[in-house]
Amino acid sequence: MRLNEDPAAFEAFYRRHVDAVLKFVARRVSDPHLAADLTTDIFLAVLDSAHTYVPGRGSEIAWLYGVARNVVSAQYRQAAREARATGRVAGRRLMDDDDLVRMEERIDAERQMRSALEAMAELPEGERAVLELMAIDQLTVAEVAKALGIRQVTVRVRLHRARKAMENVAEMDPQRREDIHLSPPSGARQESAPPPPVYVEGQA
């Protein structure tokens, strides 16, 4: 993809996938400003790594979720967010009151998914990544393999191990059954309000 060279292509890509990215982020953080920042960071990472996407090896959304997961994981590892250079991206500054309300509503709607993610916290990283993308983000085995850069058989093995581990946790702690019970997010196919825009330097 030539997104970093073609503003129109980037705009079209953004419009196709921004709702999915917002949901991905809202399932993982509860602060609306941080959610806006991470959404912006993900699309900046898309520009930086667009050359790594090979259409014949998987869908756009699988590749995008791989990028998104790397960005969110980097945020988790960061003790404190670094100061941003003003002018390139202004995700937080561009959120008006309506944008903030919409982001808060989206985050609230994904509360159950965040609880499920918390229940997965003790799984090994590889198994947790597979279970997150399949059970929380509703990717297919092939898409998860693409997002994580692993073979489909590895995805199936890790998924089996993760599900078994979660079943054992539920047996030992019945109070966590509700958190571990995973289902597609409610209203996932409903139309949503327009998302806040992301502005990148040099693009109108």
Side-chain angles (χ1 to χ4, degrees):
M1 289 184 289
R2 305 176 69 86
L3 300 180
N4 55 348
E5 301 174 6
D6 186 346
F10 175 77
E11 176 71 13
F13 182 91
Y14 173 80
R15 291 186 180 279
R16 279 199 304 277
H17 299 302
V18 65
D19 193 60
V21 170
L22 286 169
K23 288 178 181 178
F24 182 96
V25 172
R27 292 166 188 162
R28 289 162 172 82
V29 302
S30 58
D31 179 85
H33 292 293
L34 178 57
D37 284 346
L38 285 172
T39 299
T40 296
D41 289 345
I42 288 166
F43 281 102
L44 281 176
V46 163
L47 288 175
D48 291 339
S49 57
H51 64 281
T52 67
Y53 175 65
V54 181
R57 295 183 182 176
S59 65
E60 278 186 356
I61 194 66
W63 175 82
L64 176 58
Y65 273 21
V67 173
R69 195 170 191 283
N70 288 339
V71 171
V72 174
S73 295
Q75 163 60 29
Y76 286 159
R77 293 191 299 266
Q78 216 172 327
R81 293 187 63 80
E82 298 177 353
R84 299 179 185 278
T86 59
R88 189 180 183 197
V89 178
R92 179 173 299 194
R93 178 171 54 82
L94 290 169
M95 287 188 73
D96 59 22
D97 290 343
D98 289 340
D99 292 333
L100 185 59
V101 168
R102 286 195 293 269
M103 186 67 80
E104 288 173 340
E105 289 175 348
R106 187 182 295 273
I107 287 172
D108 185 64
E110 299 295 344
R111 184 186 297 113
Q112 181 184 359
M113 294 298 105
R114 289 196 302 278
S115 295
L117 284 168
E118 290 172 5
M120 299 177 192
E122 296 180 6
L123 289 174
E125 169 62 20
E127 294 171 14
R128 184 174 71 249
V130 167
L131 191 58
E132 280 183 17
L133 291 173
M134 292 198 69
I136 302 297
D137 299 305
Q138 303 295 297
L139 295 190
T140 65
V141 169
E143 288 172 335
V144 172
K146 172 65 178 177
L148 299 179
I150 58 179
R151 295 181 302 166
Q152 292 186 34
V153 66
T154 304
V155 171
R156 293 189 177 94
V157 170
R158 291 182 183 179
L159 180 63
H160 174 75
R161 290 175 179 170
R163 284 175 170 167
K164 186 66 177 177
M166 298 304 286
E167 289 171 2
N168 292 339
V169 170
E171 290 175 1
M172 291 184 292
D173 186 357
Q175 292 185 354
R176 297 181 68 184
R177 288 183 188 276
E178 287 301 316
D179 288 345
I180 294 172
H181 177 70
L182 302 176
S183 59
S186 60
R189 297 186 180 277
Q190 295 178 4
E191 294 294 327
S192 56
V198 171
Y199 288 91
V200 178
E201 183 182 19
Q203 297 186 7

PDB file of all heavy atoms in Angstrom, residues 23 40 62 114 120 146 156 166 170 176:
ATOM      1  N   LYS A  23     -12.952   0.452  18.228  1.00  0.00           N
ATOM      2  CA  LYS A  23     -13.447  -0.654  19.050  1.00  0.00           C
ATOM      3  C   LYS A  23     -12.288  -1.434  19.663  1.00  0.00           C
ATOM      4  O   LYS A  23     -12.328  -1.807  20.840  1.00  0.00           O
ATOM      5  CB  LYS A  23     -14.331  -1.584  18.219  1.00  0.00           C
ATOM      6  CG  LYS A  23     -15.682  -0.988  17.861  1.00  0.00           C
ATOM      7  CD  LYS A  23     -16.486  -1.963  17.002  1.00  0.00           C
ATOM      8  CE  LYS A  23     -17.834  -1.365  16.628  1.00  0.00           C
ATOM      9  NZ  LYS A  23     -18.613  -2.267  15.757  1.00  0.00           N
ATOM     10  N   THR A  40      -4.847   7.541  17.135  1.00  0.00           N
ATOM     11  CA  THR A  40      -3.975   8.345  16.286  1.00  0.00           C
ATOM     12  C   THR A  40      -2.634   7.650  16.070  1.00  0.00           C
ATOM     13  O   THR A  40      -2.124   7.575  14.945  1.00  0.00           O
ATOM     14  CB  THR A  40      -3.745   9.729  16.926  1.00  0.00           C
ATOM     15  OG1 THR A  40      -4.989  10.430  16.984  1.00  0.00           O
ATOM     16  CG2 THR A  40      -2.760  10.555  16.120  1.00  0.00           C
ATOM     17  N   ALA A  62      -6.519  -7.881   9.183  1.00  0.00           N
ATOM     18  CA  ALA A  62      -5.591  -8.707   9.958  1.00  0.00           C
ATOM     19  C   ALA A  62      -4.259  -7.986  10.133  1.00  0.00           C
ATOM     20  O   ALA A  62      -3.695  -7.944  11.230  1.00  0.00           O
ATOM     21  CB  ALA A  62      -5.384 -10.054   9.270  1.00  0.00           C
ATOM     22  N   ARG A 114     -13.318  -5.524  28.258  1.00  0.00           N
ATOM     23  CA  ARG A 114     -12.151  -5.209  29.077  1.00  0.00           C
ATOM     24  C   ARG A 114     -12.067  -6.143  30.276  1.00  0.00           C
ATOM     25  O   ARG A 114     -10.978  -6.562  30.685  1.00  0.00           O
ATOM     26  CB  ARG A 114     -12.195  -3.747  29.527  1.00  0.00           C
ATOM     27  CG  ARG A 114     -11.951  -2.750  28.398  1.00  0.00           C
ATOM     28  CD  ARG A 114     -11.625  -1.358  28.931  1.00  0.00           C
ATOM     29  NE  ARG A 114     -12.673  -0.832  29.785  1.00  0.00           N
ATOM     30  CZ  ARG A 114     -13.777  -0.239  29.332  1.00  0.00           C
ATOM     31  NH1 ARG A 114     -13.977  -0.121  28.022  1.00  0.00           N
ATOM     32  NH2 ARG A 114     -14.683   0.244  30.163  1.00  0.00           N
ATOM     33  N   MET A 120      -7.814 -12.673  31.253  1.00  0.00           N
ATOM     34  CA  MET A 120      -6.781 -13.385  30.491  1.00  0.00           C
ATOM     35  C   MET A 120      -5.367 -13.001  30.897  1.00  0.00           C
ATOM     36  O   MET A 120      -4.399 -13.545  30.375  1.00  0.00           O
ATOM     37  CB  MET A 120      -6.931 -13.075  28.993  1.00  0.00           C
ATOM     38  CG  MET A 120      -8.234 -13.472  28.371  1.00  0.00           C
ATOM     39  SD  MET A 120      -8.245 -12.946  26.631  1.00  0.00           S
ATOM     40  CE  MET A 120      -9.977 -13.175  26.242  1.00  0.00           C
ATOM     41  N   LYS A 146      -1.970 -14.005  10.466  1.00  0.00           N
ATOM     42  CA  LYS A 146      -1.404 -12.864   9.756  1.00  0.00           C
ATOM     43  C   LYS A 146      -1.039 -11.745  10.730  1.00  0.00           C
ATOM     44  O   LYS A 146       0.051 -11.165  10.650  1.00  0.00           O
ATOM     45  CB  LYS A 146      -2.410 -12.348   8.721  1.00  0.00           C
ATOM     46  CG  LYS A 146      -2.026 -11.035   8.042  1.00  0.00           C
ATOM     47  CD  LYS A 146      -0.778 -11.168   7.201  1.00  0.00           C
ATOM     48  CE  LYS A 146      -0.451  -9.862   6.502  1.00  0.00           C
ATOM     49  NZ  LYS A 146       0.801  -9.937   5.724  1.00  0.00           N
ATOM     50  N   ARG A 156      -4.017 -22.450  16.288  1.00  0.00           N
ATOM     51  CA  ARG A 156      -4.958 -23.437  16.828  1.00  0.00           C
ATOM     52  C   ARG A 156      -4.436 -24.078  18.111  1.00  0.00           C
ATOM     53  O   ARG A 156      -5.197 -24.294  19.055  1.00  0.00           O
ATOM     54  CB  ARG A 156      -5.244 -24.510  15.772  1.00  0.00           C
ATOM     55  CG  ARG A 156      -6.009 -23.981  14.555  1.00  0.00           C
ATOM     56  CD  ARG A 156      -6.447 -25.113  13.647  1.00  0.00           C
ATOM     57  NE  ARG A 156      -7.222 -24.612  12.527  1.00  0.00           N
ATOM     58  CZ  ARG A 156      -6.702 -24.315  11.337  1.00  0.00           C
ATOM     59  NH1 ARG A 156      -5.400 -24.464  11.121  1.00  0.00           N
ATOM     60  NH2 ARG A 156      -7.461 -23.868  10.352  1.00  0.00           N
ATOM     61  N   MET A 166      -8.301 -21.134  30.685  1.00  0.00           N
ATOM     62  CA  MET A 166      -9.396 -20.298  31.158  1.00  0.00           C
ATOM     63  C   MET A 166     -10.491 -21.139  31.802  1.00  0.00           C
ATOM     64  O   MET A 166     -11.123 -20.730  32.784  1.00  0.00           O
ATOM     65  CB  MET A 166      -9.962 -19.473  30.006  1.00  0.00           C
ATOM     66  CG  MET A 166      -8.961 -18.509  29.386  1.00  0.00           C
ATOM     67  SD  MET A 166      -8.221 -17.365  30.572  1.00  0.00           S
ATOM     68  CE  MET A 166      -9.601 -16.259  30.845  1.00  0.00           C
ATOM     69  N   ALA A 170     -11.884 -20.786  35.668  1.00  0.00           N
ATOM     70  CA  ALA A 170     -13.307 -20.676  35.986  1.00  0.00           C
ATOM     71  C   ALA A 170     -13.724 -21.727  37.009  1.00  0.00           C
ATOM     72  O   ALA A 170     -14.548 -21.465  37.896  1.00  0.00           O
ATOM     73  CB  ALA A 170     -14.145 -20.809  34.723  1.00  0.00           C
ATOM     74  N   ARG A 176     -15.419 -15.650  38.679  1.00  0.00           N
ATOM     75  CA  ARG A 176     -14.854 -15.055  37.468  1.00  0.00           C
ATOM     76  C   ARG A 176     -15.476 -15.609  36.203  1.00  0.00           C
ATOM     77  O   ARG A 176     -15.079 -15.274  35.099  1.00  0.00           O
ATOM     78  CB  ARG A 176     -13.334 -15.282  37.429  1.00  0.00           C
ATOM     79  CG  ARG A 176     -12.610 -14.601  38.581  1.00  0.00           C
ATOM     80  CD  ARG A 176     -11.120 -14.813  38.500  1.00  0.00           C
ATOM     81  NE  ARG A 176     -10.548 -14.113  37.352  1.00  0.00           N
ATOM     82  CZ  ARG A 176      -9.256 -14.203  37.026  1.00  0.00           C
ATOM     83  NH1 ARG A 176      -8.439 -14.948  37.719  1.00  0.00           N
ATOM     84  NH2 ARG A 176      -8.789 -13.542  35.982  1.00  0.00           N
TER      85      ARG A 176
END
